[in-house]
Each structure stands twice: as structure tokens, then as C-alpha cells.
Amino acid sequence: MKLLIINGSPRQKGRTGIATRFMARKYQMDLLDLSTSDIPLYNGEESQGQLASVKKLREQVKEADGVILASPEYHSGMSGALKNAIDFLGSDQFAHKPVALLVVAGGGKGGINALNNMRTVGRGVYANVIPRQLVLDPHCFNYEEDGLNEDSAVMVDNLVSELKMYVQAFSQMEIKK
């Protein structure tokens, strides 16, 4: 089973990066880190589809059996970096693909609006966004070890387990495109 996690944060030292690196290590997932990516600002021109960074993005998502989209919450929505990356994608990469959502919030507002924003965009690219979703607040992190605290790691385990369940279920079905 090939899982891909996308770090949708433009910050190289942010908490979303900590969470996605932790998950990539723990579950042997591929990590696409938008903070180090050279994906350009989407403008809808076909020529952008020929860029190496865009081809790699499309290939990684298409080849994955399941995807985790991870984003910091910015003004009650996903990061512009993640939305921009998703704008280069569509049903060719996402149709019927199980997708899990994770938001890293600053506390106070809870991240639910960013999750709803991501779920709406997921529907727009025909992804099968799974019911379980997760918000991690600042207290969830083990900053010294570049990871998560024990309780938060259990919540991540539950998210990944549910994603894997959907991947397995979909692999048993014949989906016509």
C-alpha cells in the first residue's frame, strides 16, 4: 500500500512539517513537502503542465493508493500553498482515491473551517475524502524530538488506520472511470 502525505505548509520550520515528517517516518509514507517545492503559482496555462515540478506532483498523487492532505489553518482555510498545489491536480489523480485530512491549528478556533475548506476542494477533484479528520493544536507536539506527544500519536494512528481501511476496501472494488 502506497501512501502519500502532502505537507501543505509554506513554512520550513512549522508544526505541519513536524507532523508530516513524524507520519512519514512512522508509517513509511512518501512525503511531498510544499515548503521545499518549486511548484509555481497556478495560472491555468497548459504550458505549466510540462514543468518538472508539476509532472512530479501529478505522478506522486496519481501513483499513491491513498493521500493525506496536511495544512496549517490560515484565516479559517487551508494554506494557499496547498490550494495552489491542488489546483494543478484533478480527477486524473484523485478520482475515487481515499484522502484523509489533517489541520494544524494555532488554537482558539479549532481548525474545523480549514477542514471543511479542504473537504470541499477534495470533492472538487473527485477525491473520496474519508469521514475521520484530525486537528492538531500546539500542545500536541513534542518539539524536541520533531514529533508528536503520545496522545496525539494515537489520534494520528486512528486517522491512518481509517485511511488504510478505505484504501483496502477500494482495492477490492472495480471502479469504472
Side-chain angles (χ1 to χ4, degrees), residues 46-106:
E46 288 184 37
S47 61
Q48 286 187 314
Q50 301 309 310
L51 298 171
S53 59
V54 174
K55 285 182 177 181
K56 182 178 177 184
L57 168 68
R58 289 175 174 168
E59 180 181 314
Q60 283 184 283
V61 174
K62 187 169 186 147
E63 289 181 358
D65 298 312
V67 176
I68 298 174
L69 299 176
S71 177
E73 181 178 52
Y74 289 159
H75 304 291
S76 297
M78 75 176 94
S79 72
L82 181 59
K83 176 61 168 78
N84 184 68
I86 294 171
D87 285 341
F88 282 102
L89 304 168
S91 62
D92 285 347
Q93 293 80 31
F94 276 113
H96 309 292
K97 188 177 304 278
V99 173
L101 305 178
L102 183 146
V103 166
V104 175

Short mmCIF file of all heavy atoms in Angstrom, two decimals, residues 46-106:
data_model
loop_
_atom_site.label_atom_id
_atom_site.label_comp_id
_atom_site.label_asym_id
_atom_site.label_seq_id
_atom_site.Cartn_x
_atom_site.Cartn_y
_atom_site.Cartn_z
N GLU A 46 -1.67 25.78 -20.06
CA GLU A 46 -1.28 24.39 -20.29
C GLU A 46 0.22 24.18 -20.20
O GLU A 46 0.68 23.09 -19.83
CB GLU A 46 -1.79 23.92 -21.65
CG GLU A 46 -3.29 23.71 -21.68
CD GLU A 46 -3.77 23.15 -23.00
OE1 GLU A 46 -3.06 22.30 -23.59
OE2 GLU A 46 -4.85 23.56 -23.44
N SER A 47 1.00 25.19 -20.52
CA SER A 47 2.46 25.05 -20.51
C SER A 47 2.98 24.70 -19.11
O SER A 47 4.02 24.05 -18.98
CB SER A 47 3.13 26.32 -21.01
OG SER A 47 2.80 27.42 -20.18
N GLN A 48 2.26 25.09 -18.06
CA GLN A 48 2.71 24.75 -16.71
C GLN A 48 2.70 23.24 -16.48
O GLN A 48 3.48 22.74 -15.68
CB GLN A 48 1.83 25.43 -15.67
CG GLN A 48 2.08 26.90 -15.53
CD GLN A 48 1.29 27.49 -14.37
OE1 GLN A 48 0.11 27.22 -14.20
NE2 GLN A 48 1.97 28.30 -13.57
N GLY A 49 1.86 22.53 -17.19
CA GLY A 49 1.79 21.08 -17.04
C GLY A 49 3.04 20.37 -17.51
O GLY A 49 3.25 19.20 -17.20
N GLN A 50 3.89 21.07 -18.24
CA GLN A 50 5.13 20.47 -18.73
C GLN A 50 6.31 20.68 -17.79
O GLN A 50 7.39 20.15 -18.01
CB GLN A 50 5.47 21.04 -20.13
CG GLN A 50 4.38 20.79 -21.16
CD GLN A 50 3.98 19.31 -21.22
OE1 GLN A 50 4.84 18.43 -21.32
NE2 GLN A 50 2.68 19.04 -21.16
N LEU A 51 6.11 21.48 -16.74
CA LEU A 51 7.17 21.73 -15.78
C LEU A 51 7.46 20.47 -14.97
O LEU A 51 6.54 19.73 -14.59
CB LEU A 51 6.79 22.87 -14.84
CG LEU A 51 6.55 24.23 -15.50
CD1 LEU A 51 5.97 25.21 -14.49
CD2 LEU A 51 7.87 24.76 -16.07
N ALA A 52 8.74 20.23 -14.69
CA ALA A 52 9.14 19.03 -13.96
C ALA A 52 8.46 18.94 -12.59
O ALA A 52 8.02 17.86 -12.19
CB ALA A 52 10.66 18.99 -13.80
N SER A 53 8.35 20.05 -11.89
CA SER A 53 7.75 20.03 -10.55
C SER A 53 6.26 19.66 -10.61
O SER A 53 5.76 18.95 -9.74
CB SER A 53 7.93 21.38 -9.85
OG SER A 53 7.33 22.42 -10.60
N VAL A 54 5.59 20.12 -11.65
CA VAL A 54 4.17 19.81 -11.80
C VAL A 54 3.99 18.35 -12.23
O VAL A 54 3.11 17.65 -11.71
CB VAL A 54 3.50 20.79 -12.79
CG1 VAL A 54 2.06 20.38 -13.08
CG2 VAL A 54 3.56 22.21 -12.24
N LYS A 55 4.82 17.89 -13.14
CA LYS A 55 4.75 16.48 -13.55
C LYS A 55 4.99 15.56 -12.36
O LYS A 55 4.30 14.55 -12.19
CB LYS A 55 5.79 16.19 -14.64
CG LYS A 55 5.42 16.73 -16.00
CD LYS A 55 6.49 16.36 -17.01
CE LYS A 55 6.13 16.82 -18.40
NZ LYS A 55 7.15 16.44 -19.39
N LYS A 56 5.97 15.91 -11.52
CA LYS A 56 6.28 15.08 -10.35
C LYS A 56 5.10 15.08 -9.38
O LYS A 56 4.73 14.02 -8.85
CB LYS A 56 7.53 15.60 -9.66
CG LYS A 56 7.93 14.77 -8.47
CD LYS A 56 9.20 15.28 -7.82
CE LYS A 56 9.53 14.46 -6.58
NZ LYS A 56 10.69 14.95 -5.86
N LEU A 57 4.51 16.24 -9.12
CA LEU A 57 3.34 16.34 -8.25
C LEU A 57 2.23 15.43 -8.75
O LEU A 57 1.67 14.62 -8.01
CB LEU A 57 2.85 17.79 -8.18
CG LEU A 57 1.49 18.04 -7.55
CD1 LEU A 57 1.53 17.75 -6.05
CD2 LEU A 57 1.04 19.48 -7.81
N ARG A 58 1.89 15.56 -10.01
CA ARG A 58 0.81 14.76 -10.59
C ARG A 58 1.11 13.27 -10.53
O ARG A 58 0.22 12.47 -10.22
CB ARG A 58 0.56 15.21 -12.03
CG ARG A 58 -0.09 16.58 -12.12
CD ARG A 58 -0.23 17.05 -13.54
NE ARG A 58 -0.99 18.30 -13.58
CZ ARG A 58 -1.08 19.07 -14.65
NH1 ARG A 58 -0.47 18.73 -15.78
NH2 ARG A 58 -1.78 20.19 -14.60
N GLU A 59 2.34 12.91 -10.80
CA GLU A 59 2.74 11.50 -10.76
C GLU A 59 2.66 10.93 -9.35
O GLU A 59 2.13 9.83 -9.14
CB GLU A 59 4.16 11.36 -11.31
CG GLU A 59 4.69 9.94 -11.32
CD GLU A 59 6.11 9.88 -11.85
OE1 GLU A 59 6.40 10.51 -12.89
OE2 GLU A 59 6.93 9.19 -11.22
N GLN A 60 3.17 11.68 -8.38
CA GLN A 60 3.15 11.19 -6.99
C GLN A 60 1.73 10.97 -6.50
O GLN A 60 1.45 9.96 -5.85
CB GLN A 60 3.88 12.17 -6.07
CG GLN A 60 5.38 12.10 -6.16
CD GLN A 60 6.02 13.04 -5.16
OE1 GLN A 60 6.07 14.24 -5.35
NE2 GLN A 60 6.51 12.47 -4.07
N VAL A 61 0.85 11.91 -6.78
CA VAL A 61 -0.53 11.77 -6.31
C VAL A 61 -1.23 10.63 -7.05
O VAL A 61 -1.93 9.82 -6.44
CB VAL A 61 -1.30 13.10 -6.43
CG1 VAL A 61 -2.77 12.91 -6.08
CG2 VAL A 61 -0.66 14.16 -5.54
N LYS A 62 -1.03 10.55 -8.34
CA LYS A 62 -1.69 9.50 -9.13
C LYS A 62 -1.25 8.11 -8.70
O LYS A 62 -2.06 7.18 -8.62
CB LYS A 62 -1.43 9.70 -10.62
CG LYS A 62 -2.22 8.75 -11.49
CD LYS A 62 -2.17 9.11 -12.94
CE LYS A 62 -3.10 8.20 -13.71
NZ LYS A 62 -3.71 8.85 -14.83
N GLU A 63 0.04 7.94 -8.40
CA GLU A 63 0.56 6.63 -8.04
C GLU A 63 0.21 6.20 -6.61
O GLU A 63 0.30 5.03 -6.28
CB GLU A 63 2.08 6.60 -8.23
CG GLU A 63 2.48 6.62 -9.69
CD GLU A 63 3.99 6.57 -9.88
OE1 GLU A 63 4.74 6.57 -8.88
OE2 GLU A 63 4.41 6.55 -11.04
N ALA A 64 -0.16 7.14 -5.77
CA ALA A 64 -0.49 6.81 -4.39
C ALA A 64 -1.83 6.09 -4.30
O ALA A 64 -2.77 6.40 -5.04
CB ALA A 64 -0.53 8.08 -3.54
N ASP A 65 -1.90 5.13 -3.40
CA ASP A 65 -3.17 4.45 -3.15
C ASP A 65 -4.08 5.29 -2.26
O ASP A 65 -5.29 5.16 -2.31
CB ASP A 65 -2.92 3.10 -2.48
CG ASP A 65 -2.12 2.16 -3.37
OD1 ASP A 65 -2.47 2.02 -4.56
OD2 ASP A 65 -1.12 1.60 -2.87
N GLY A 66 -3.46 6.10 -1.42
CA GLY A 66 -4.19 7.00 -0.53
C GLY A 66 -3.33 8.21 -0.24
O GLY A 66 -2.10 8.14 -0.33
N VAL A 67 -3.97 9.32 0.08
CA VAL A 67 -3.26 10.58 0.30
C VAL A 67 -3.73 11.20 1.61
O VAL A 67 -4.92 11.14 1.94
CB VAL A 67 -3.52 11.57 -0.87
CG1 VAL A 67 -2.88 12.93 -0.61
CG2 VAL A 67 -3.03 10.99 -2.19
N ILE A 68 -2.80 11.81 2.33
CA ILE A 68 -3.13 12.65 3.47
C ILE A 68 -2.77 14.07 3.10
O ILE A 68 -1.62 14.35 2.74
CB ILE A 68 -2.39 12.22 4.75
CG1 ILE A 68 -2.77 10.80 5.13
CG2 ILE A 68 -2.69 13.20 5.89
CD1 ILE A 68 -1.99 10.23 6.30
N LEU A 69 -3.75 14.95 3.14
CA LEU A 69 -3.52 16.37 2.93
C LEU A 69 -3.38 17.02 4.29
O LEU A 69 -4.29 16.92 5.13
CB LEU A 69 -4.69 17.00 2.16
CG LEU A 69 -4.98 16.46 0.77
CD1 LEU A 69 -6.23 17.14 0.20
CD2 LEU A 69 -3.78 16.66 -0.15
N ALA A 70 -2.26 17.68 4.53
CA ALA A 70 -2.00 18.33 5.81
C ALA A 70 -1.75 19.80 5.57
O ALA A 70 -0.99 20.18 4.67
CB ALA A 70 -0.79 17.69 6.49
N SER A 71 -2.39 20.64 6.37
CA SER A 71 -2.27 22.08 6.19
C SER A 71 -2.34 22.80 7.52
O SER A 71 -3.09 22.39 8.41
CB SER A 71 -3.40 22.59 5.29
OG SER A 71 -3.34 24.00 5.15
N PRO A 72 -1.62 23.90 7.62
CA PRO A 72 -1.90 24.80 8.74
C PRO A 72 -3.22 25.50 8.44
O PRO A 72 -3.66 25.56 7.29
CB PRO A 72 -0.73 25.79 8.70
CG PRO A 72 -0.28 25.79 7.28
CD PRO A 72 -0.55 24.41 6.75
N GLU A 73 -3.86 25.98 9.49
CA GLU A 73 -5.07 26.77 9.29
C GLU A 73 -4.68 28.24 9.16
O GLU A 73 -4.05 28.80 10.04
CB GLU A 73 -6.03 26.61 10.46
CG GLU A 73 -7.31 27.42 10.26
CD GLU A 73 -8.29 27.23 11.39
OE1 GLU A 73 -7.88 27.40 12.55
OE2 GLU A 73 -9.45 26.91 11.11
N TYR A 74 -5.01 28.82 8.03
CA TYR A 74 -4.76 30.24 7.79
C TYR A 74 -6.10 30.93 7.58
O TYR A 74 -6.79 30.65 6.59
CB TYR A 74 -3.89 30.45 6.55
CG TYR A 74 -2.44 30.03 6.69
CD1 TYR A 74 -1.69 29.76 5.56
CD2 TYR A 74 -1.82 29.91 7.92
CE1 TYR A 74 -0.35 29.39 5.66
CE2 TYR A 74 -0.49 29.54 8.04
CZ TYR A 74 0.24 29.28 6.90
OH TYR A 74 1.55 28.91 7.00
N HIS A 75 -6.50 31.79 8.48
CA HIS A 75 -7.74 32.56 8.37
C HIS A 75 -8.93 31.66 8.04
O HIS A 75 -9.69 31.91 7.12
CB HIS A 75 -7.60 33.67 7.33
CG HIS A 75 -6.46 34.59 7.62
ND1 HIS A 75 -6.44 35.44 8.69
CD2 HIS A 75 -5.28 34.75 6.98
CE1 HIS A 75 -5.30 36.11 8.70
NE2 HIS A 75 -4.57 35.71 7.69
N SER A 76 -9.05 30.57 8.78
CA SER A 76 -10.15 29.62 8.67
C SER A 76 -10.16 28.81 7.38
O SER A 76 -11.18 28.27 6.98
CB SER A 76 -11.52 30.32 8.84
OG SER A 76 -11.61 30.89 10.12
N GLY A 77 -9.02 28.70 6.71
CA GLY A 77 -8.92 27.91 5.50
C GLY A 77 -7.59 27.19 5.42
O GLY A 77 -6.72 27.36 6.28
N MET A 78 -7.44 26.36 4.38
CA MET A 78 -6.17 25.69 4.15
C MET A 78 -5.15 26.72 3.67
O MET A 78 -5.50 27.83 3.27
CB MET A 78 -6.34 24.58 3.11
CG MET A 78 -6.47 25.05 1.67
SD MET A 78 -6.53 23.69 0.50
CE MET A 78 -8.29 23.50 0.36
N SER A 79 -3.90 26.36 3.67
CA SER A 79 -2.85 27.26 3.20
C SER A 79 -2.99 27.50 1.70
O SER A 79 -3.46 26.64 0.95
CB SER A 79 -1.46 26.67 3.49
OG SER A 79 -1.20 25.58 2.62
N GLY A 80 -2.55 28.66 1.27
CA GLY A 80 -2.52 28.96 -0.16
C GLY A 80 -1.61 28.01 -0.91
O GLY A 80 -1.87 27.66 -2.07
N ALA A 81 -0.53 27.56 -0.25
CA ALA A 81 0.40 26.63 -0.89
C ALA A 81 -0.29 25.31 -1.23
O ALA A 81 -0.11 24.77 -2.33
CB ALA A 81 1.61 26.38 0.01
N LEU A 82 -1.10 24.79 -0.31
CA LEU A 82 -1.80 23.54 -0.58
C LEU A 82 -2.86 23.73 -1.64
O LEU A 82 -2.98 22.92 -2.57
CB LEU A 82 -2.41 22.97 0.70
CG LEU A 82 -3.15 21.64 0.53
CD1 LEU A 82 -2.22 20.56 -0.02
CD2 LEU A 82 -3.75 21.19 1.87
N LYS A 83 -3.63 24.79 -1.54
CA LYS A 83 -4.67 25.04 -2.55
C LYS A 83 -4.04 25.19 -3.92
O LYS A 83 -4.54 24.65 -4.92
CB LYS A 83 -5.48 26.29 -2.19
CG LYS A 83 -6.52 26.70 -3.24
CD LYS A 83 -7.57 25.62 -3.46
CE LYS A 83 -8.75 26.10 -4.27
NZ LYS A 83 -8.54 26.19 -5.71
N ASN A 84 -2.91 25.91 -4.00
CA ASN A 84 -2.21 26.08 -5.27
C ASN A 84 -1.78 24.73 -5.85
O ASN A 84 -1.96 24.47 -7.04
CB ASN A 84 -0.99 26.99 -5.08
CG ASN A 84 -0.28 27.29 -6.37
OD1 ASN A 84 -0.81 27.96 -7.24
ND2 ASN A 84 0.93 26.78 -6.49
N ALA A 85 -1.23 23.85 -5.02
CA ALA A 85 -0.81 22.53 -5.50
C ALA A 85 -2.00 21.73 -6.00
O ALA A 85 -1.94 21.10 -7.06
CB ALA A 85 -0.08 21.77 -4.39
N ILE A 86 -3.11 21.76 -5.26
CA ILE A 86 -4.30 21.02 -5.67
C ILE A 86 -4.85 21.57 -6.98
O ILE A 86 -5.40 20.81 -7.79
CB ILE A 86 -5.37 21.03 -4.55
CG1 ILE A 86 -4.86 20.25 -3.33
CG2 ILE A 86 -6.69 20.44 -5.04
CD1 ILE A 86 -5.73 20.37 -2.10
N ASP A 87 -4.68 22.86 -7.23
CA ASP A 87 -5.15 23.44 -8.49
C ASP A 87 -4.48 22.82 -9.71
O ASP A 87 -5.03 22.85 -10.81
CB ASP A 87 -4.97 24.96 -8.49
CG ASP A 87 -5.99 25.67 -7.62
OD1 ASP A 87 -7.03 25.08 -7.31
OD2 ASP A 87 -5.73 26.83 -7.26
N PHE A 88 -3.30 22.24 -9.53
CA PHE A 88 -2.61 21.55 -10.63
C PHE A 88 -3.11 20.13 -10.81
O PHE A 88 -2.71 19.45 -11.74
CB PHE A 88 -1.09 21.52 -10.37
CG PHE A 88 -0.40 22.80 -10.67
CD1 PHE A 88 -0.03 23.66 -9.65
CD2 PHE A 88 -0.10 23.17 -11.98
CE1 PHE A 88 0.61 24.85 -9.92
CE2 PHE A 88 0.54 24.36 -12.26
CZ PHE A 88 0.91 25.21 -11.23
N LEU A 89 -3.96 19.68 -9.92
CA LEU A 89 -4.44 18.30 -9.93
C LEU A 89 -5.92 18.26 -10.30
O LEU A 89 -6.58 19.28 -10.38
CB LEU A 89 -4.21 17.68 -8.55
CG LEU A 89 -2.77 17.71 -8.05
CD1 LEU A 89 -2.70 17.35 -6.57
CD2 LEU A 89 -1.90 16.80 -8.89
N GLY A 90 -6.42 17.06 -10.49
CA GLY A 90 -7.83 16.91 -10.80
C GLY A 90 -8.25 15.47 -10.69
O GLY A 90 -7.59 14.66 -10.02
N SER A 91 -9.31 15.11 -11.39
CA SER A 91 -9.84 13.76 -11.29
C SER A 91 -8.87 12.72 -11.85
O SER A 91 -8.91 11.56 -11.43
CB SER A 91 -11.19 13.66 -12.00
OG SER A 91 -11.06 13.95 -13.37
N ASP A 92 -7.97 13.10 -12.75
CA ASP A 92 -6.98 12.14 -13.25
C ASP A 92 -6.12 11.60 -12.11
O ASP A 92 -5.67 10.45 -12.15
CB ASP A 92 -6.06 12.77 -14.29
CG ASP A 92 -6.73 12.96 -15.64
OD1 ASP A 92 -7.82 12.39 -15.86
OD2 ASP A 92 -6.16 13.68 -16.48
N GLN A 93 -5.89 12.41 -11.11
CA GLN A 93 -5.07 12.00 -9.98
C GLN A 93 -5.90 11.53 -8.78
O GLN A 93 -5.47 10.66 -8.04
CB GLN A 93 -4.16 13.15 -9.51
CG GLN A 93 -3.09 13.55 -10.50
CD GLN A 93 -3.61 14.44 -11.63
OE1 GLN A 93 -4.54 15.22 -11.43
NE2 GLN A 93 -3.03 14.32 -12.80
N PHE A 94 -7.07 12.11 -8.59
CA PHE A 94 -7.81 11.89 -7.35
C PHE A 94 -9.09 11.06 -7.46
O PHE A 94 -9.63 10.66 -6.43
CB PHE A 94 -8.21 13.24 -6.74
CG PHE A 94 -7.15 13.88 -5.90
CD1 PHE A 94 -6.56 15.06 -6.31
CD2 PHE A 94 -6.76 13.33 -4.69
CE1 PHE A 94 -5.59 15.68 -5.53
CE2 PHE A 94 -5.81 13.94 -3.90
CZ PHE A 94 -5.22 15.12 -4.32
N ALA A 95 -9.62 10.80 -8.63
CA ALA A 95 -10.93 10.14 -8.73
C ALA A 95 -10.98 8.87 -7.89
O ALA A 95 -10.18 7.96 -8.08
CB ALA A 95 -11.28 9.83 -10.18
N HIS A 96 -11.89 8.85 -6.92
CA HIS A 96 -12.16 7.71 -6.05
C HIS A 96 -11.01 7.38 -5.09
O HIS A 96 -11.09 6.38 -4.38
CB HIS A 96 -12.53 6.47 -6.85
CG HIS A 96 -13.63 6.73 -7.83
ND1 HIS A 96 -14.92 7.01 -7.45
CD2 HIS A 96 -13.61 6.77 -9.19
CE1 HIS A 96 -15.65 7.21 -8.53
NE2 HIS A 96 -14.89 7.07 -9.59
N LYS A 97 -9.97 8.20 -5.06
CA LYS A 97 -8.83 7.93 -4.19
C LYS A 97 -9.17 8.33 -2.76
O LYS A 97 -9.61 9.44 -2.50
CB LYS A 97 -7.61 8.71 -4.66
CG LYS A 97 -6.32 8.33 -3.94
CD LYS A 97 -5.13 9.08 -4.50
CE LYS A 97 -4.94 8.89 -5.97
NZ LYS A 97 -4.26 7.70 -6.39
N PRO A 98 -8.97 7.43 -1.79
CA PRO A 98 -9.19 7.80 -0.40
C PRO A 98 -8.20 8.89 0.04
O PRO A 98 -6.99 8.78 -0.21
CB PRO A 98 -8.96 6.49 0.37
CG PRO A 98 -9.23 5.42 -0.65
CD PRO A 98 -8.71 5.99 -1.94
N VAL A 99 -8.73 9.91 0.69
CA VAL A 99 -7.94 11.05 1.15
C VAL A 99 -8.31 11.36 2.59
O VAL A 99 -9.50 11.45 2.92
CB VAL A 99 -8.18 12.29 0.25
CG1 VAL A 99 -7.50 13.53 0.81
CG2 VAL A 99 -7.70 12.01 -1.18
N ALA A 100 -7.30 11.51 3.43
CA ALA A 100 -7.50 11.92 4.82
C ALA A 100 -7.07 13.37 4.98
O ALA A 100 -6.20 13.85 4.24
CB ALA A 100 -6.70 11.02 5.76
N LEU A 101 -7.67 14.05 5.94
CA LEU A 101 -7.39 15.47 6.17
C LEU A 101 -6.84 15.69 7.57
O LEU A 101 -7.36 15.15 8.55
CB LEU A 101 -8.67 16.29 6.02
CG LEU A 101 -9.43 16.15 4.71
CD1 LEU A 101 -10.70 17.00 4.76
CD2 LEU A 101 -8.57 16.52 3.51
N LEU A 102 -5.80 16.51 7.64
CA LEU A 102 -5.19 16.88 8.90
C LEU A 102 -4.91 18.38 8.88
O LEU A 102 -4.35 18.88 7.91
CB LEU A 102 -3.87 16.11 9.09
CG LEU A 102 -3.14 16.34 10.40
CD1 LEU A 102 -2.44 15.07 10.83
CD2 LEU A 102 -2.13 17.45 10.29
N VAL A 103 -5.33 19.07 9.93
CA VAL A 103 -5.08 20.51 10.04
C VAL A 103 -4.29 20.76 11.31
O VAL A 103 -4.57 20.18 12.36
CB VAL A 103 -6.40 21.32 10.05
CG1 VAL A 103 -6.17 22.75 10.52
CG2 VAL A 103 -7.02 21.32 8.67
N VAL A 104 -3.31 21.62 11.19
CA VAL A 104 -2.56 22.09 12.36
C VAL A 104 -3.04 23.50 12.64
O VAL A 104 -2.90 24.40 11.82
CB VAL A 104 -1.04 22.05 12.08
CG1 VAL A 104 -0.28 22.64 13.25
CG2 VAL A 104 -0.60 20.62 11.81
N ALA A 105 -3.68 23.65 13.80
CA ALA A 105 -4.28 24.92 14.18
C ALA A 105 -3.44 25.61 15.25
O ALA A 105 -2.68 24.97 15.96
CB ALA A 105 -5.71 24.70 14.67
N GLY A 106 -3.64 26.90 15.34
CA GLY A 106 -2.93 27.68 16.35
C GLY A 106 -3.63 27.70 17.68
O GLY A 106 -3.15 28.28 18.64
#
